[in-house]
Amino acid sequence: MEIKKEIGFATELVPLVKNHTKVLTYRLGNKYDFLKVGDVVDTYDSVTGEVFGRLRITKKEKTIFKELPIDRIGHEVYPSKDGQRRVFEKFYGEIKDEDLFIILGFELL
């Protein structure tokens, strides 16, 4: 069975992807570990399900939450580590310092 190559973004982030301000995404766990640099994926609004473009993966890194940057260019900036944790917990539930994150860089095609 082939894994469908797609990435969803919250509605409020779609304009940032479309205008090329957002070129990084932080994802909890290994769900997107199958993606490789150079892969092209569909991208969609995770609330409406509407596909709004295709992305090419330009970089891939792994880290843990406590090492995840709060002010990296190409991603939303967080006021503090606690602020970052609160945002991620809205999407994922409880976040621990040692939780694995994948950082994906991308370009909108």
Side-chain angles (χ1 to χ4, degrees), residues 16 28 50 76 102 108:
L16 301 178
L28 174 66
E50 176 187 354
E76 306 84 87
I102 293 178
L108 183 64

Side-chain angles (χ1 to χ4, degrees), residues 2 11 15 19 39 42 48 56 63 75 80 83 95 98 107:
E2 186 177 331
T11 301
N19 74 15
D39 282 352
D42 288 328
T48 67
R56 177 179 291 115
T63 191
H75 195 276
S80 65
I95 298 291
E98 302 303 318
E107 61 182 351

Side-chain angles (χ1 to χ4, degrees), residues 3 10 25 30 46 65 88 97:
I3 298 173
T25 186
N30 279 319
S46 58
F65 179 75
F88 282 116
D97 282 349

